[in-house]
Amino acid sequence: MLLTLIVAGLAGAATPHVQDRVTEALLSLLGEERMPDAGGRRVAAFAAMLLAAAVLLVLVSDEVSPVLLVIGGTIGAFQKEIRAAISDRMG
């Protein structure tokens, strides 16, 4: 369970680093006229990283919770925004 959160969090945090490669893959698959906007490309990169995390977790573990995978990935992807919100709330 903890491994799922850690791997998913790392995958979410890696999303900005793979976004350019995912954009290149989308461009070659979809072409220029069907390319999603910047938000869509970020979602595609996030989905690709969660898929990679899920495959890795299935290979090394027999219990993978999809809910924990999404929660961990979301925390990893939005860690800066979450920390800023907590910091603003704390003072």
Side-chain angles (χ1 to χ4, degrees):
M1 188 160 82
L2 185 59
L3 179 65
T4 300
L5 282 173
I6 292 170
V7 170
L10 291 173
T15 297
H17 303 290
V18 299
Q19 188 169 348
D20 291 338
R21 289 186 181 172
V22 171
T23 299
E24 291 171 10
L26 285 174
L27 184 60
S28 68
L29 288 171
L30 301 176
E32 186 71 38
E33 64 278 351
R34 292 190 176 149
M35 276 296 288
D37 61 353
R41 291 190 300 266
R42 185 174 183 197
V43 169
F46 180 67
M49 291 309 296
L50 282 188
L51 178 63
V55 169
L56 175 69
L57 287 166
V58 165
L59 291 175
V60 298
S61 176
D62 56 345
E63 289 186 28
V64 179
S65 169
V67 173
L68 289 178
L69 187 69
V70 171
I71 289 171
T74 302
I75 290 171
F78 297 103
Q79 62 178 317
K80 292 177 186 174
E81 292 87 349
I82 292 169
R83 280 190 280 162
I86 291 171
S87 176
D88 289 346
R89 213 169 223 200
M90 300 291 275

